[in-house]
Amino acid sequence: HLFQGKIIVHPVYPLKQKISKICKTSSGLKIYWSTQKKASGYQIYRKTKNSSWKKIKTISNGKTASFEDRRAK
């Protein structure tokens, strides 16, 4: 099954980040983005067709450029 919702990544300072790639893994989906110079971290949000946006992860390292969402299938 493919994930039927949306995922966004926000840098901790207020800019919307674009996802550069999403790959299916054996345990979910791996999300990649390009880091931003001033970012001190990122907030990951998920939305399905039956839900509103919900924060699923806060990453406190601004040099991190990926996250594996193990609940997305």
Side-chain angles (χ1 to χ4, degrees), residues 4-6 47-51:
Q4 297 287 321
K6 296 180 180 178
K47 179 185 185 318
T48 64
K49 67 179 183 177
N50 297 321
S51 72

Side-chain angles (χ1 to χ4, degrees), residues 7-59:
I7 298 173
I8 60 173
V9 179
H10 283 285
V12 172
Y13 74 98
L15 283 181
K16 196 174 197 181
Q17 181 68 4
K18 291 185 180 181
I19 295 172
S20 58
K21 181 169 66 169
I22 299 176
C23 297
K24 186 172 179 166
T25 67
S26 60
S27 57
L29 295 175
K30 187 133 186 186
I31 305 151
Y32 298 88
W33 60 89
S34 297
T35 59
Q36 294 187 17
K37 291 180 183 179
K38 295 180 182 179
S40 59
Y42 300 90
Q43 296 174 345
I44 314 294
Y45 290 81
R46 180 194 303 124
K47 179 185 185 318
T48 64
K49 67 179 183 177
N50 297 321
S51 72
S52 58
W53 288 105
K54 181 178 180 182
K55 183 166 49 170
I56 59 170
K57 180 74 175 176
T58 297
I59 298 171

